[in-house]
């Protein structure tokens, strides 16, 4: 058995849940991934997660008494005070008492939006170390954004701060799962990119690569239609980021989530495009940093395990 304290982080996403144990320095001790989808009942998902936790700890040789904190990140609006997930469109959840479900199964947890957890992880252990004010944008099934102001998670009085994915950038645009039209998420997200690809060039996506990653694979191979779609989508994302920067004036924008791995197709173009759409007084200073998340797809899980340090 390994001695010492550790925390539990759970990152529930639209297609998977990451579960991991994290040490006080933000290092992942052990982790596993289980699939999720909209058809899963929230309580059943919590039960499945809780069944995996003891086996994961035992496999890592962790002492049961060493667990000092547990946090959960979700892809939607969550009230960290009550543990209620108010709205989670990518999972179809409304007013789900997630914190109570975990408590009934023996785990006291804090529940927060996954992008806020990712932002905290990057501030404490990753690409945003040394900064005070950052925006961390998580690109995955949807788009999330976590705001850190004065080294603390900023939730806002309505608990909806940072919903960049659901800012409307095209009037009467593409329908969004949130009920609005023209949200940024419909133009740059895993779901949005795949949806547009299936409309434009379905014959180029075989049965085994009908995903946003399949679209990126085509783009890397030089497919002109895929490249054009990615270029347009990145422009929409840059516009949304520039608007966010003009309002908040952060020191850095950190790009997190699965699509942050596409540096040449996503992050490098953003560094050029965001200042082009920006207000001249900040864009001209060239001080804004746009960086790939250092912790990769683990950042929401690590941040969830570290919530006590950023609330």
């Amino acid at each position: 058995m390994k001695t010492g304290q550790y925390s539990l982080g759970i990152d529930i996403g639209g297609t998977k849940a990451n579960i991991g144990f994290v040490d006080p320095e933000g290092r992942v001790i052990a982790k596993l991934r289980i699939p999720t989808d909209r058809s899963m009942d929230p309580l059943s998902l919590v039960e499945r997660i809780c069944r995996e936790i003891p086996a994961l700890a035992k496999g890592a040789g962790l002492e049961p008494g060493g667990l000092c904190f547990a946090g959960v990140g979700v892809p939607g609006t969550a009230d960290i005070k009550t543990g209620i997930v108010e709205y989670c469109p990518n999972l179809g959840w409304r007013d789900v008492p997630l914190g109570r479900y975990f408590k009934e199964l023996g785990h006291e947890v804090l529940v927060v939006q996954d992008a806020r957890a990712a932002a905290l992880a990057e501030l404490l252990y990753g690409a945003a170390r040394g900064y005070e004010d950052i925006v961390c944008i998580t690109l995955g099934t949807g788009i999330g954004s976590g705001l850190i102001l004065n080294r603390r998670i900023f939730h806002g009085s309505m608990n909806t701060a940072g919903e960049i994915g659901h800012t409307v950038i095209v009037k009467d645009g593409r329908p969004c799962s949130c009920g609005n039209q023209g949200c940024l998420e419909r133009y740059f997200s895993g779901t949005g990119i795949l949806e547009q690809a299936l409309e434009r060039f379905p014959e180029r996506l075989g049965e085994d690569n009908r995903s946003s990653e399949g679209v990126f694979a085509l783009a890397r191979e030089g497919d002109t239609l895929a490249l054009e779609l990615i270029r347009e989508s990145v422009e929409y994302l840059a516009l949304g980021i520039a608007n966010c920067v003009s309002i908040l004036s952060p020191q850095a924008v950190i790009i997190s989530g699965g699509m942050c791995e596409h540096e040449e197709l996503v992050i490098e173009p953003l560094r050029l495009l965001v200042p082009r759409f920006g207000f001249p007084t900040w864009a001209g200073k060239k001080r804004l940093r746009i960086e790939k998340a250092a912790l990769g797809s683990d950042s929401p899980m690590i941040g969830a395990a570290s919530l006590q340090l950023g609330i």
Side-chain angles (χ1 to χ4, degrees):
M1 286 285 184
K2 297 177 183 177
T3 60
Q5 291 190 330
Y6 57 91
S7 299
L8 171 66
I10 301 167
D11 171 29
I12 298 174
T15 59
K16 59 186 177 299
N18 289 336
I19 308 166
F21 292 109
V22 177
D23 73 11
E25 283 72 49
R27 294 185 292 258
V28 178
I29 304 168
K31 65 178 180 177
L32 63 84
R33 177 179 295 180
I34 62 174
T36 64
D37 61 60
R38 289 177 64 94
S39 69
M40 298 184 74
D41 172 76
L43 179 56
S44 298
L45 176 59
V46 172
E47 290 173 342
R48 167 75 191 281
I49 290 170
C50 289
R51 284 198 302 269
E52 300 287 353
I53 292 171
L56 182 63
K58 184 177 180 180
L62 298 174
E63 289 185 340
L67 181 62
C68 62
F69 179 80
V72 180
V74 296
T77 304
D79 188 329
I80 198 169
K81 296 178 181 178
T82 65
I84 294 174
V85 179
E86 298 173 353
Y87 185 44
C88 188
N90 290 324
L91 285 170
W93 292 359
R94 280 188 181 272
D95 298 322
V96 172
L98 199 68
R100 177 167 64 81
Y101 289 166
F102 274 99
K103 185 175 181 179
E104 289 173 352
L105 292 169
H107 295 278
E108 292 275 0
V109 301
L110 286 182
V111 182
V112 74
Q113 185 194 65
D114 56 358
R116 296 176 187 175
L120 180 62
E122 292 296 329
L123 179 86
L124 296 172
Y125 313 113
R129 280 179 294 184
Y131 292 126
E132 301 286 327
D133 306 309
I134 69 163
V135 176
C136 183
I137 298 174
T138 302
L139 306 175
T141 305
I143 296 180
S145 180
L147 310 181
I148 301 288
L149 303 179
N150 294 321
R151 297 188 63 81
R152 288 289 180 269
I153 296 174
F154 181 71
H155 300 277
S157 61
M158 293 185 289
N159 201 35
T160 56
E163 286 288 0
I164 187 174
H166 295 287
T167 54
V168 175
I169 60 169
V170 178
K171 183 178 181 294
D172 300 323
R174 303 180 69 83
C176 183
S177 60
C178 75
N180 284 336
Q181 289 180 266
C183 291
L184 175 59
E185 186 170 291
R186 304 317 302 159
Y187 296 87
F188 193 105
S189 69
T191 305
I193 287 173
L194 176 60
E195 184 179 81
Q196 293 174 85
L198 291 174
E199 292 171 359
R200 298 187 190 189
F201 46 89
E203 72 286 350
R204 304 195 183 201
L205 292 168
E207 292 299 324
D208 58 346
N209 67 344
R210 284 180 174 253
S211 65
S212 60
E213 286 303 308
V215 180
F216 276 101
L218 286 174
R220 288 194 301 271
E221 293 167 4
D223 184 281
T224 55
L225 293 180
L227 282 168
E228 180 67 11
L229 172 56
I230 298 299
R231 183 190 64 78
E232 291 177 7
S233 297
V234 172
E235 284 189 354
Y236 281 119
L237 179 60
L239 178 61
I241 291 174
N243 290 339
C244 184
V245 172
S246 290
I247 293 169
L248 295 172
S249 190
Q251 297 162 292
V253 175
I254 310 299
I255 307 298
S256 178
M259 283 189 280
C260 77
E261 300 302 324
H262 301 292
E263 292 189 64
E264 185 176 347
L265 292 171
V266 177
I267 295 179
E268 291 177 11
L270 284 176
R271 291 183 176 130
L272 297 174
L273 289 169
V274 170
R276 189 179 303 171
F277 293 131
F279 189 54
T281 54
W282 65 259
K285 292 177 181 177
K286 299 181 179 180
R287 293 192 341 222
L288 178 73
R289 309 296 299 176
I290 298 177
E291 304 289 352
K292 173 186 174 181
L295 303 175
S297 59
D298 282 342
S299 57
M301 180 185 73
I302 295 171
S306 309
L307 284 175
Q308 77 277 21
L309 304 177
I311 58 177

